[in-house]
């Protein structure tokens, strides 16, 4: 009889495989940040967002075509609004990766669960206990440490990362109500279908035809993004979110390592301290269900 993890019935083998999948996905997310930095000198973040959306849709097109029942939805207009929010969050993150330290931008991205907790309290009436209030305040304090306002100027690129995290939270607040009538697969399928044509509109205004080398990197980014999503979906089908979602925070050391290897970036002490506070706060304020939604939406 397989060993099980206490309290959830997940087998030890499944939990191990899920953890490895999430760790792999976190590494792919770090590679994604590097790819954005490499292509950003030639193409605008809106153009990167367009290609990411197109290749993501192409990667999942066979699944959508063979599961047409997924297209039955109760939220056609809301899918478009959510897709716009998701696209803007991606573009904001890409702008941050293009100009800021990759480790700093990634650390700021982890404030998304904190924004979501605050938004749920303000707009959905969710109750915040003393512990979660402290967690929210500590999370924003950690963000300030990374932003370094005491240095005289705050990096505009990191403000884009902060805006991206806030947009992710708004999209998740929408998802909370939409998931009551549409299942997860339908929400994923519609997001892929709607985002690509919407992404083309702003991309036209900032269009630069990528060189063959950059186009190859954009295709690679789209393919890796699809693999990333598949790995995360499989991981969360194998084990409880409370076991595997926190592993996604391995993105930070992974992106720090790649930033050093590729661009000679060395995160300073403030980055690590601020990031540790943000990650700890995110874990405090987020339950398993909320954390898994945040992790999936950041892909």
């Amino acid at each position: 009889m397989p060993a099980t993890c206490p309290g959830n019935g997940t087998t030890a083998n499944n939990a191990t495989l899920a953890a490895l999948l999430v760790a792999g996905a976190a590494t792919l997310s770090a590679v994604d940040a590097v790819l954005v930095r490499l292509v950003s000198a030639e193409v605008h973040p809106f153009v990167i967002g367009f290609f990411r959306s197109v290749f993501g849709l192409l990667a999942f097109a066979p699944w959508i075509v063979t599961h047409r029942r997924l297209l039955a939805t109760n939220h056609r207009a809301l899918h478009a609004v959510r897709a716009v929010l998701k696209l803007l969050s991606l573009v904001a993150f890409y702008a941050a990766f293009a100009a800021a330290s990759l480790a700093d931008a990634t650390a700021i991205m982890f404030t998304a669960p904190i924004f979501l907790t605050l938004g749920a309290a303000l707009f959905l009436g969710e109750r915040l206990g003393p512990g979660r209030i402290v967690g929210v305040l500590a999370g924003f304090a950690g963000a300030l440490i990374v932003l370094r306002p005491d240095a005289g100027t705050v990096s505009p690129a990191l403000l884009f990362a902060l805006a991206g995290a806030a947009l992710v939270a708004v999209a998740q607040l929408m998802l909370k109500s939409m998931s009551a009538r549409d299942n997860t697969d339908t929400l994923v399928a519609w997001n892929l279908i709607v985002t690509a044509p919407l992404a083309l509109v702003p991309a036209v205004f900032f269009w630069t035809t990528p060189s063959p080398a950059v186009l190859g990197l954009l295709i690679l980014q789209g393919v890796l993004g699809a693999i990333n999503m598949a790995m995360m979906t499989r991981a969360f089908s194998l084990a409880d979110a409370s076991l595997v979602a926190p592993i996604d925070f391995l993105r930070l050391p992974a992106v720090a390592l790649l930033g050093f290897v590729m661009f000679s970036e060395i995160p300073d002490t403030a980055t690590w301290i601020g990031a540790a506070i943000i990650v700890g706060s995110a874990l405090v304020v987020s339950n398993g269900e909320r954390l898994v939604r945040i992790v999936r939406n950041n892909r």
Side-chain angles (χ1 to χ4, degrees):
M1 178 178 177
T4 60
C5 297
N8 57 32
T10 301
T11 67
N13 287 340
N14 281 355
T16 300
L17 178 57
L20 291 174
L21 287 170
V22 177
T27 303
L28 290 183
S29 293
V31 173
D32 182 76
V34 170
L35 291 174
V36 170
R37 173 70 66 79
L38 291 174
V39 303
S40 61
E42 186 171 315
V43 292
H44 191 275
F46 273 117
V47 179
I48 300 173
F50 168 70
F51 278 106
R52 172 64 178 269
S53 301
V54 168
F55 292 123
L57 176 59
L58 290 175
F60 278 89
W63 171 67
I64 296 173
V65 170
T66 56
H67 296 79
R68 294 188 180 182
R69 58 181 176 77
L70 298 176
L71 300 182
T73 179
N74 299 285
H75 302 293
R76 291 181 184 272
L78 289 180
H79 283 300
V81 175
R82 179 171 171 261
V84 169
L85 293 172
K86 179 71 180 293
L87 175 64
L88 290 176
S89 69
L90 284 176
V91 170
F93 291 144
Y94 293 162
F97 289 143
S101 160
L102 297 183
D104 284 354
T106 301
I108 294 297
M109 287 175 65
F110 289 149
T111 60
I114 299 167
F115 277 113
L116 178 59
T117 299
L118 186 60
L122 292 175
F123 301 109
L124 301 181
E126 288 192 11
R127 181 178 176 277
L128 291 182
R132 296 179 74 191
I133 292 174
V134 171
V136 169
L137 295 176
F140 287 128
L144 284 174
I145 292 175
V146 177
L147 290 171
R148 302 172 181 82
D150 57 321
T153 57
V154 175
S155 167
L158 291 183
L159 293 180
F160 274 114
L162 195 65
L167 288 169
V168 167
V170 175
Q172 289 304 310
L173 289 174
M174 289 185 61
L175 189 63
K176 186 178 180 67
S177 61
M178 294 170 68
S179 61
R181 300 182 66 190
D182 282 1
N183 63 44
T184 301
D185 288 344
T186 296
L187 293 168
V188 170
W190 271 94
N191 185 258
L192 290 168
I193 292 169
V194 175
T195 302
L198 286 176
L200 177 61
V201 177
V204 168
F205 295 96
F206 299 94
W207 187 263
T208 301
T209 301
S211 64
V214 168
L215 180 60
L217 293 177
L218 290 169
I219 294 173
L220 177 61
Q221 185 198 21
V223 172
L224 292 181
I227 295 173
N228 189 325
M229 184 180 295
M231 291 173 70
M232 293 299 294
T233 300
R234 178 60 175 161
F236 286 113
S237 72
L238 291 172
D240 288 353
S242 59
L243 285 176
V244 296
I247 300 173
D248 183 60
F249 291 117
L250 287 175
R251 268 190 287 169
L252 182 59
V255 82
L257 176 61
L258 290 178
F260 172 72
V261 172
M262 297 295 297
F263 310 111
S264 300
E265 292 182 354
I266 302 177
D268 60 18
T269 303
T271 297
W272 291 112
I273 293 175
I277 294 172
I278 292 170
V279 169
S281 301
L283 291 173
V284 168
V285 303
S286 300
N287 55 44
E289 179 185 358
R290 174 171 292 159
L291 188 54
V292 64
R293 292 200 306 267
I294 286 291
V295 168
R296 283 179 173 169
N297 208 52
N298 270 307
R299 299 290 155 184

